[in-house]
Amino acid sequence: MKISPDDNILAWLGPLPINATLAYTWLVMAILVLGSYLITRRLQDIPKLTRWQNLLEILVSGLREQIRQASCQEPGPYLPFIGTLFLFIATANMLAIVPGYIPPTASLSTTTALALAVFAAVPLYGVARNGLGNYLANYLEPTLIMLPLNILGELSRTLALAVRLYGNMMNGTIIGAILLGIAPLFFPIVLQFLGLITGIVQAYIFAVLAMVFIASAQSTQDSPTQNHHSGED
Amino acid sequence: MTEITADVIVAVVSIFTAGITMAIGSIAPALGEGRALAEALQAIAQQPDEAPTLTRTLFVGIAMVESTGIYCLVVSMILIFANPFWDHFITKAGG
Protein backbone atom coordinates (compact mmCIF):
# COMPACT_ATOMS: atom_id res chain seq x y z
CA MET A 1 0.00 0.00 0.00
CA LYS A 2 1.26 3.46 -0.91
CA ILE A 3 1.27 5.40 2.31
CA SER A 4 2.30 8.72 0.78
CA PRO A 5 1.13 10.53 -2.38
CA ASP A 6 4.85 11.17 -2.99
CA ASP A 7 5.19 7.56 -4.22
CA ASN A 8 2.22 7.89 -6.55
CA ILE A 9 3.90 8.99 -9.79
CA LEU A 10 1.45 10.29 -12.37
CA ALA A 11 3.74 11.30 -15.23
CA TRP A 12 7.33 11.89 -16.20
CA LEU A 13 8.51 15.33 -17.32
CA GLY A 14 11.74 14.21 -18.96
CA PRO A 15 13.83 12.84 -16.09
CA LEU A 16 11.62 14.54 -13.48
CA PRO A 17 8.88 12.43 -11.88
CA ILE A 18 5.61 14.33 -11.41
CA ASN A 19 4.13 12.72 -8.33
CA ALA A 20 0.62 13.20 -7.01
CA THR A 21 1.70 15.70 -4.35
CA LEU A 22 3.26 18.00 -6.94
CA ALA A 23 0.44 17.72 -9.46
CA TYR A 24 -2.35 18.31 -6.94
CA THR A 25 -0.48 21.20 -5.30
CA TRP A 26 -0.33 22.84 -8.73
CA LEU A 27 -4.04 22.13 -9.17
CA VAL A 28 -4.90 23.81 -5.85
CA MET A 29 -2.67 26.80 -6.66
CA ALA A 30 -4.25 27.10 -10.10
CA ILE A 31 -7.76 27.04 -8.62
CA LEU A 32 -6.89 29.70 -6.03
CA VAL A 33 -5.05 32.02 -8.44
CA LEU A 34 -7.54 31.67 -11.28
CA GLY A 35 -10.52 32.00 -8.93
CA SER A 36 -9.29 35.17 -7.26
CA TYR A 37 -8.27 36.66 -10.63
CA LEU A 38 -11.71 36.02 -12.12
CA ILE A 39 -13.49 37.41 -9.05
CA THR A 40 -11.38 40.52 -8.54
CA ARG A 41 -11.36 41.39 -12.24
CA ARG A 42 -14.62 43.33 -12.00
CA LEU A 43 -15.06 44.54 -8.43
CA GLN A 44 -18.24 46.47 -7.76
CA ASP A 45 -19.17 49.13 -5.25
CA ILE A 46 -22.95 49.01 -5.67
CA PRO A 47 -25.23 47.53 -2.97
CA LYS A 48 -26.03 44.47 -5.07
CA LEU A 49 -22.77 42.54 -5.36
CA THR A 50 -22.15 39.42 -7.38
CA ARG A 51 -22.24 36.14 -5.46
CA TRP A 52 -18.57 35.46 -5.91
CA GLN A 53 -17.54 38.89 -4.72
CA ASN A 54 -19.74 38.37 -1.66
CA LEU A 55 -18.03 35.05 -0.98
CA LEU A 56 -14.58 36.59 -1.24
CA GLU A 57 -15.52 39.56 0.96
CA ILE A 58 -16.94 37.23 3.62
CA LEU A 59 -13.75 35.15 3.51
CA VAL A 60 -11.40 38.12 3.77
CA SER A 61 -13.34 39.94 6.47
CA GLY A 62 -13.75 36.71 8.43
CA LEU A 63 -10.01 36.06 8.23
CA ARG A 64 -9.28 39.63 9.33
CA GLU A 65 -11.60 39.25 12.32
CA GLN A 66 -10.02 35.92 13.34
CA ILE A 67 -6.49 37.34 13.07
CA ARG A 68 -7.51 40.41 15.09
CA GLN A 69 -8.91 38.21 17.85
CA ALA A 70 -6.00 35.76 17.90
CA SER A 71 -3.26 38.38 17.97
CA CYS A 72 -4.99 41.43 19.51
CA GLN A 73 -3.41 43.49 16.71
CA GLU A 74 -4.46 45.06 13.46
CA PRO A 75 -4.59 42.22 10.90
CA GLY A 76 -3.06 44.19 8.00
CA PRO A 77 0.51 42.83 7.90
CA TYR A 78 -0.49 39.26 8.78
CA LEU A 79 -3.42 38.80 6.42
CA PRO A 80 -1.40 37.83 3.31
CA PHE A 81 0.58 35.09 5.06
CA ILE A 82 -2.02 33.65 7.44
CA GLY A 83 -4.82 33.99 4.91
CA THR A 84 -2.81 32.19 2.24
CA LEU A 85 -1.99 29.36 4.65
CA PHE A 86 -5.64 28.93 5.58
CA LEU A 87 -7.01 29.16 2.04
CA PHE A 88 -4.41 26.77 0.62
CA ILE A 89 -4.85 24.11 3.30
CA ALA A 90 -8.64 24.43 3.33
CA THR A 91 -8.88 24.13 -0.47
CA ALA A 92 -6.43 21.23 -0.56
CA ASN A 93 -8.38 19.38 2.15
CA MET A 94 -11.86 20.11 0.80
CA LEU A 95 -11.09 18.89 -2.71
CA ALA A 96 -10.73 15.42 -1.14
CA ILE A 97 -14.40 14.77 -2.00
CA VAL A 98 -13.43 14.69 -5.69
CA PRO A 99 -12.78 11.03 -6.62
CA GLY A 100 -9.19 10.28 -7.54
CA TYR A 101 -7.85 13.35 -5.82
CA ILE A 102 -5.32 12.83 -3.03
CA PRO A 103 -4.86 15.83 -0.74
CA PRO A 104 -1.26 17.10 -1.05
CA THR A 105 -1.46 17.83 2.69
CA ALA A 106 -1.49 14.04 3.27
CA SER A 107 2.21 14.07 2.34
CA LEU A 108 4.81 14.92 4.94
CA SER A 109 6.79 16.98 2.40
CA THR A 110 3.95 19.50 1.87
CA THR A 111 3.20 19.93 5.55
CA THR A 112 6.90 20.26 6.37
CA ALA A 113 7.21 22.99 3.75
CA LEU A 114 4.24 24.86 5.25
CA ALA A 115 5.62 24.46 8.79
CA LEU A 116 9.04 25.70 7.63
CA ALA A 117 7.34 28.77 6.16
CA VAL A 118 5.85 29.47 9.61
CA PHE A 119 9.25 28.76 11.19
CA ALA A 120 10.81 31.43 8.94
CA ALA A 121 7.94 33.89 9.34
CA VAL A 122 8.11 34.00 13.16
CA PRO A 123 11.53 35.71 13.39
CA LEU A 124 10.83 37.85 10.29
CA TYR A 125 7.67 39.37 11.78
CA GLY A 126 9.30 39.59 15.21
CA VAL A 127 12.36 41.48 13.92
CA ALA A 128 10.23 43.71 11.71
CA ARG A 129 8.16 44.80 14.69
CA ASN A 130 10.62 44.92 17.58
CA GLY A 131 14.07 45.09 16.03
CA LEU A 132 16.72 42.40 16.17
CA GLY A 133 17.87 43.03 19.74
CA ASN A 134 14.44 42.90 21.31
CA TYR A 135 13.52 39.80 19.34
CA LEU A 136 16.65 37.94 20.42
CA ALA A 137 16.09 39.06 24.00
CA ASN A 138 12.82 37.12 23.84
CA TYR A 139 14.83 33.91 23.91
CA LEU A 140 16.35 34.87 27.26
CA GLU A 141 12.91 35.07 28.91
CA PRO A 142 12.47 34.47 31.81
CA THR A 143 16.14 33.73 32.57
CA LEU A 144 19.33 32.89 30.70
CA ILE A 145 19.06 29.22 31.73
CA MET A 146 15.93 28.83 29.61
CA LEU A 147 17.76 29.64 26.35
CA PRO A 148 18.26 26.01 25.18
CA LEU A 149 14.71 25.12 26.13
CA ASN A 150 13.33 28.10 24.22
CA ILE A 151 15.25 27.07 21.10
CA LEU A 152 14.13 23.47 21.54
CA GLY A 153 10.55 24.63 21.92
CA GLU A 154 10.80 26.61 18.68
CA LEU A 155 12.02 23.51 16.80
CA SER A 156 9.61 21.05 18.36
CA ARG A 157 6.53 23.17 17.72
CA THR A 158 7.49 23.39 14.05
CA LEU A 159 7.74 19.60 13.98
CA ALA A 160 4.42 19.30 15.80
CA LEU A 161 2.78 21.68 13.30
CA ALA A 162 3.94 19.55 10.37
CA VAL A 163 3.16 16.16 11.89
CA ARG A 164 -0.28 17.21 13.15
CA LEU A 165 -1.57 18.24 9.73
CA TYR A 166 0.12 15.28 8.03
CA GLY A 167 -1.22 12.78 10.56
CA ASN A 168 -4.76 14.06 10.35
CA MET A 169 -4.95 14.08 6.56
CA MET A 170 -3.10 10.79 6.02
CA ASN A 171 -5.35 9.24 8.63
CA GLY A 172 -8.42 10.25 6.61
CA THR A 173 -7.18 8.87 3.29
CA ILE A 174 -5.79 5.60 4.67
CA ILE A 175 -8.74 4.78 6.92
CA GLY A 176 -10.99 5.58 3.95
CA ALA A 177 -9.06 3.15 1.74
CA ILE A 178 -9.14 0.41 4.40
CA LEU A 179 -12.87 0.86 4.99
CA LEU A 180 -13.52 0.66 1.24
CA GLY A 181 -12.11 -2.85 1.40
CA ILE A 182 -14.02 -3.89 4.53
CA ALA A 183 -17.43 -2.15 4.35
CA PRO A 184 -17.76 -0.66 0.86
CA LEU A 185 -21.22 0.89 0.85
CA PHE A 186 -22.07 3.19 3.70
CA PHE A 187 -19.19 3.74 6.11
CA PRO A 188 -16.69 5.31 3.70
CA ILE A 189 -19.21 8.10 2.96
CA VAL A 190 -19.70 8.88 6.64
CA LEU A 191 -15.97 8.92 7.09
CA GLN A 192 -15.58 11.27 4.11
CA PHE A 193 -17.87 13.77 5.84
CA LEU A 194 -15.84 13.42 9.01
CA GLY A 195 -12.72 13.97 6.90
CA LEU A 196 -14.18 17.20 5.48
CA ILE A 197 -14.85 18.55 8.97
CA THR A 198 -11.35 17.51 10.09
CA GLY A 199 -9.84 19.16 7.03
CA ILE A 200 -11.48 22.54 7.71
CA VAL A 201 -10.73 22.38 11.44
CA GLN A 202 -7.09 21.49 10.74
CA ALA A 203 -6.74 24.40 8.28
CA TYR A 204 -8.21 26.74 10.91
CA ILE A 205 -5.94 25.37 13.63
CA PHE A 206 -2.83 25.61 11.44
CA ALA A 207 -3.59 29.26 10.65
CA VAL A 208 -4.47 30.19 14.24
CA LEU A 209 -1.39 28.43 15.64
CA ALA A 210 0.84 30.21 13.11
CA MET A 211 -0.73 33.51 14.19
CA VAL A 212 -0.30 32.69 17.88
CA PHE A 213 3.38 31.77 17.35
CA ILE A 214 4.01 35.01 15.44
CA ALA A 215 2.18 37.08 18.05
CA SER A 216 4.03 35.43 20.94
CA ALA A 217 7.39 36.26 19.35
CA GLN A 218 6.40 39.94 19.35
CA SER A 219 5.52 40.29 22.98
CA THR A 220 7.78 42.87 24.62
CA GLN A 221 7.66 44.76 27.87
CA ASP A 222 5.37 47.52 26.60
CA SER A 223 3.03 45.29 24.60
CA PRO A 224 0.24 44.73 27.20
CA THR A 225 -0.88 48.37 26.92
CA GLN A 226 -0.65 48.23 23.10
CA ASN A 227 -2.63 45.04 23.02
CA HIS A 228 -5.22 46.49 25.32
CA HIS A 229 -5.82 49.50 23.09
CA SER A 230 -5.97 47.64 19.81
CA GLY A 231 -8.18 45.02 21.43
CA GLU A 232 -10.75 47.62 22.37
CA ASP A 233 -10.87 49.35 18.99
CA MET B 1 1.35 -24.87 9.42
CA THR B 2 3.73 -22.31 8.02
CA GLU B 3 7.19 -22.21 9.40
CA ILE B 4 7.97 -19.29 11.70
CA THR B 5 10.62 -17.25 9.93
CA ALA B 6 12.16 -13.91 10.74
CA ASP B 7 9.71 -11.93 8.61
CA VAL B 8 6.75 -13.57 10.38
CA ILE B 9 8.20 -12.55 13.74
CA VAL B 10 8.73 -8.99 12.50
CA ALA B 11 5.15 -8.87 11.20
CA VAL B 12 3.69 -10.17 14.47
CA VAL B 13 5.74 -7.81 16.60
CA SER B 14 4.89 -4.83 14.36
CA ILE B 15 1.16 -5.44 14.41
CA PHE B 16 1.13 -6.10 18.15
CA THR B 17 3.18 -2.98 18.85
CA ALA B 18 0.96 -0.89 16.59
CA GLY B 19 -2.11 -2.00 18.53
CA ILE B 20 -0.47 -1.36 21.88
CA THR B 21 0.77 2.05 20.67
CA MET B 22 -2.74 3.13 19.73
CA ALA B 23 -4.26 1.69 22.90
CA ILE B 24 -1.91 3.35 25.35
CA GLY B 25 -1.28 6.42 23.23
CA SER B 26 -4.93 7.38 23.02
CA ILE B 27 -5.58 7.19 26.77
CA ALA B 28 -3.58 10.23 27.82
CA PRO B 29 -4.76 12.65 25.08
CA ALA B 30 -8.35 11.55 25.67
CA LEU B 31 -8.10 12.25 29.40
CA GLY B 32 -6.38 15.57 28.76
CA GLU B 33 -8.87 16.71 26.14
CA GLY B 34 -11.80 15.66 28.32
CA ARG B 35 -10.45 17.66 31.22
CA ALA B 36 -9.78 20.71 29.05
CA LEU B 37 -13.30 20.50 27.60
CA ALA B 38 -14.89 20.14 31.04
CA GLU B 39 -13.03 23.17 32.37
CA ALA B 40 -13.92 25.22 29.29
CA LEU B 41 -17.61 24.30 29.60
CA GLN B 42 -17.56 25.31 33.24
CA ALA B 43 -15.93 28.61 32.35
CA ILE B 44 -18.51 29.25 29.60
CA ALA B 45 -21.31 28.47 32.05
CA GLN B 46 -19.92 31.01 34.48
CA GLN B 47 -19.09 33.68 31.89
CA PRO B 48 -21.21 33.22 28.76
CA ASP B 49 -19.94 36.54 27.35
CA GLU B 50 -16.44 35.12 27.04
CA ALA B 51 -17.63 32.12 25.01
CA PRO B 52 -15.91 33.08 21.69
CA THR B 53 -12.51 33.59 23.34
CA LEU B 54 -12.84 30.42 25.38
CA THR B 55 -13.89 28.37 22.37
CA ARG B 56 -10.97 29.60 20.29
CA THR B 57 -8.48 28.95 23.07
CA LEU B 58 -10.05 25.52 23.61
CA PHE B 59 -9.63 24.67 19.91
CA VAL B 60 -5.98 25.66 19.91
CA GLY B 61 -5.28 23.88 23.20
CA ILE B 62 -7.01 20.70 22.14
CA ALA B 63 -5.06 20.76 18.87
CA MET B 64 -1.84 20.89 20.88
CA VAL B 65 -2.95 18.05 23.16
CA GLU B 66 -4.13 16.03 20.18
CA SER B 67 -0.71 16.07 18.55
CA THR B 68 0.54 13.43 21.03
CA GLY B 69 -2.25 11.14 19.89
CA ILE B 70 -1.42 11.94 16.26
CA TYR B 71 2.22 10.99 16.90
CA CYS B 72 1.06 7.58 18.11
CA LEU B 73 -1.15 7.20 15.03
CA VAL B 74 1.72 8.07 12.70
CA VAL B 75 4.06 5.63 14.48
CA SER B 76 1.57 2.77 14.31
CA MET B 77 0.78 3.53 10.64
CA ILE B 78 4.50 3.41 9.88
CA LEU B 79 4.81 0.11 11.79
CA ILE B 80 2.05 -1.48 9.73
CA PHE B 81 2.40 0.05 6.25
CA ALA B 82 5.96 1.33 5.95
CA ASN B 83 7.98 -0.80 8.34
CA PRO B 84 11.63 -0.69 7.16
CA PHE B 85 12.54 -4.02 8.84
CA TRP B 86 9.55 -5.75 7.33
CA ASP B 87 10.42 -4.46 3.83
CA HIS B 88 13.98 -5.70 4.33
CA PHE B 89 12.90 -9.24 5.16
CA ILE B 90 10.30 -9.33 2.38
CA THR B 91 12.84 -8.32 -0.28
CA LYS B 92 15.28 -10.86 1.19
CA ALA B 93 12.69 -13.62 1.05
CA GLY B 94 11.56 -12.62 -2.44
CA GLY B 95 15.08 -12.28 -3.85
Side-chain angles (χ1 to χ4, degrees):
Chain A
M1 181 179 234
K2 286 167 182 164
I3 195 171
S4 158
D6 285 3
D7 306 331
N8 199 340
I9 292 170
L10 296 179
W12 288 84
L13 194 71
L16 280 175
I18 306 294
N19 57 34
T21 314
L22 208 56
Y24 292 128
T25 307
W26 284 341
L27 178 73
V28 172
M29 290 195 302
I31 288 175
L32 286 177
V33 170
L34 208 71
S36 31
Y37 169 72
L38 286 180
I39 296 172
T40 53
R41 204 176 33 162
R42 281 195 307 268
L43 287 181
Q44 294 165 331
D45 208 7
I46 54 171
K48 186 166 166 43
L49 302 173
T50 58
R51 286 178 198 174
W52 290 103
Q53 190 182 342
N54 257 328
L55 174 77
L56 210 64
E57 286 191 5
I58 288 171
L59 266 176
V60 171
S61 59
L63 279 169
R64 287 179 67 93
E65 188 52 38
Q66 290 293 330
I67 293 174
R68 184 177 289 127
Q69 284 178 358
S71 67
C72 298
Q73 290 168 24
E74 275 307 300
Y78 311 110
L79 183 68
F81 182 60
I82 307 289
T84 309
L85 277 181
F86 175 78
L87 283 181
F88 176 76
I89 299 174
T91 316
N93 292 354
M94 266 197 300
L95 281 179
I97 44 167
V98 179
Y101 171 91
I102 312 163
T105 41
S107 141
L108 192 55
S109 10
T110 310
T111 59
T112 309
L114 293 174
L116 282 180
V118 177
F119 183 71
V122 168
L124 284 181
Y125 277 112
V127 170
R129 187 175 164 92
N130 290 336
L132 189 61
N134 275 335
Y135 173 72
L136 290 179
N138 248 352
Y139 282 101
L140 301 180
E141 298 279 333
T143 57
L144 181 65
I145 308 165
M146 293 296 279
L147 177 68
L149 289 179
N150 279 334
I151 295 174
L152 209 64
E154 189 100 358
L155 293 174
S156 74
R157 76 187 185 191
T158 307
L159 180 76
L161 211 55
V163 174
R164 180 182 306 115
L165 184 58
Y166 164 66
N168 271 299
M169 295 319 293
M170 176 207 59
N171 170 17
T173 48
I174 291 206
I175 301 281
I178 293 173
L179 273 183
L180 265 180
I182 301 174
L185 273 180
F186 183 63
F187 278 109
I189 302 176
V190 179
L191 226 83
Q192 280 282 325
F193 282 123
L194 196 71
L196 283 184
I197 298 173
T198 322
I200 296 293
V201 170
Q202 287 307 314
Y204 170 76
I205 282 174
F206 197 99
V208 169
L209 279 182
M211 190 63 246
V212 168
F213 292 160
I214 291 172
S216 76
Q218 298 180 331
S219 54
T220 47
Q221 296 297 327
D222 57 351
S223 61
T225 50
Q226 279 180 2
N227 285 352
H228 194 63
H229 283 303
S230 56
E232 274 182 347
D233 287 345
Chain B
M1 195 67 193
T2 49
E3 149 190 30
I4 296 184
T5 49
D7 58 324
V8 175
I9 296 176
V10 169
V12 169
V13 170
S14 303
I15 293 170
F16 182 76
T17 315
I20 288 288
T21 307
M22 280 320 294
I24 299 178
S26 46
I27 292 175
L31 289 177
E33 282 186 23
R35 188 167 154 69
L37 181 61
E39 296 283 334
L41 283 179
Q42 201 176 6
I44 288 177
Q46 285 171 354
Q47 293 174 302
D49 293 343
E50 293 296 313
T53 317
L54 286 167
T55 316
R56 199 180 57 244
T57 320
L58 178 71
F59 262 127
V60 175
I62 278 190
M64 301 290 258
V65 175
E66 195 195 45
S67 52
T68 52
I70 293 287
Y71 289 153
C72 290
L73 176 80
V74 170
V75 166
S76 56
M77 285 283 183
I78 287 173
L79 278 177
I80 296 177
F81 294 117
N83 193 329
F85 304 108
W86 203 342
D87 293 346
H88 170 74
F89 278 113
I90 286 174
T91 48
K92 218 174 170 184

